[in-house]
């Protein structure tokens, strides 16, 4: 009888070990699949962010340059009298609106992708864009178009906002997706 108990005990231990090993194997396998999916999603999101950040910087640089070109062109133009101002104002808004909207769409795409630090930097870009747009469209006398001080202040604000955004986006992209860091990096 003693031998039988030994055989039964060994069989029970083997069965429990096999079940535990299988359960542990299933758990480890599931965890590995979940981690791999999370890393792949993190890599996809990082790629999307990189594309959006580059597109925003390109749109920003192009838009700021277009604003500067518009101002320089309008300042050089001589207007015969103030009666023409409504036409000039329409011309200004017609030129400024598409530039501003293009920059705004690029900012919104970045805001959708995050992370929070980059979204916060986008607030500064939005403020700078509004300041630039307001400075460019601000009424002045026909011969002395606009307020150059307001524009120069807006230009400085835009430059600072770009640096802030560049720093935040660089920091966001430097952290590679990994299973333990996915919650913090996103």
């Amino acid at each position: 009888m003693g031998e039988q108990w030994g055989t039964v005990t060994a069989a029970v231990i083997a069965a429990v070990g096999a079940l535990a090993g299988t359960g542990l194997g299933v758990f480890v396998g599931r965890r590995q699949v979940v981690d791999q999916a999370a890393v792949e999603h993190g890599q996809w999101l990082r790629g999307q962010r990189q594309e959006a950040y580059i597109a925003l910087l390109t749109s920003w640089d192009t838009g700021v340059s277009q604003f500067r070109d518009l101002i320089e062109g309008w300042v050089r133009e001589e207007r015969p009298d103030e009666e023409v101002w409504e036409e000039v104002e329409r011309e200004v808004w017609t030129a400024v609106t598409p530039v501003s909207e293009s920059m705004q769409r690029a900012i919104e795409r970045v805001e959708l992708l995050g992370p929070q630090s980059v979204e916060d930097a986008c607030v500064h870009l939005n403020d700078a864009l509004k300041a630039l747009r307001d400075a460019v469209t601000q009424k002045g006398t026909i011969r002395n178009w606009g307020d150059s001080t307001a524009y120069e202040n807006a230009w400085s604000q835009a430059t600072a906002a770009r640096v802030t955004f560049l720093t935040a986006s660089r920091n966001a992209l430097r952290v590679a997706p990994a299973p333990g860091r996915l919650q913090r990096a996103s």
Side-chain angles (χ1 to χ4, degrees), residues 52-127:
Y53 299 168
I54 290 168
L56 174 53
L57 288 170
T58 300
S59 175
W60 185 263
D61 292 343
T62 300
V64 168
S65 178
Q66 288 173 330
F67 281 149
R68 183 164 287 262
D69 291 346
L70 289 171
I71 283 188
E72 288 175 3
W74 289 321
V75 167
R76 282 191 296 259
E77 288 182 24
E78 286 201 28
R79 306 283 181 201
D81 54 44
E82 283 195 39
E83 293 176 13
V84 188
W85 179 252
E86 283 185 32
E87 180 185 323
V88 172
E89 188 174 28
R90 244 186 326 276
E91 177 186 324
V92 168
W93 277 103
T94 300
V96 167
T97 300
V99 174
S100 179
E101 287 175 353
S102 174
M103 294 167 77
Q104 186 61 49
R105 281 191 301 276
I107 291 170
E108 289 169 355
R109 180 173 181 220
V110 167
E111 287 175 329
L112 285 172
L113 294 169
Q116 188 63 49
S117 60
V118 175
E119 289 179 47
D120 293 343
C122 284
V123 169
H124 298 291
L125 288 174
N126 271 321
D127 292 345

Side-chain angles (χ1 to χ4, degrees), residues 35-53:
D35 285 349
Q36 182 62 31
V39 168
E40 286 177 14
H41 175 72
Q43 289 171 335
W44 171 84
L45 181 59
R46 186 175 181 213
Q48 293 296 307
R49 285 175 174 169
Q50 183 177 11
E51 288 177 21
Y53 299 168

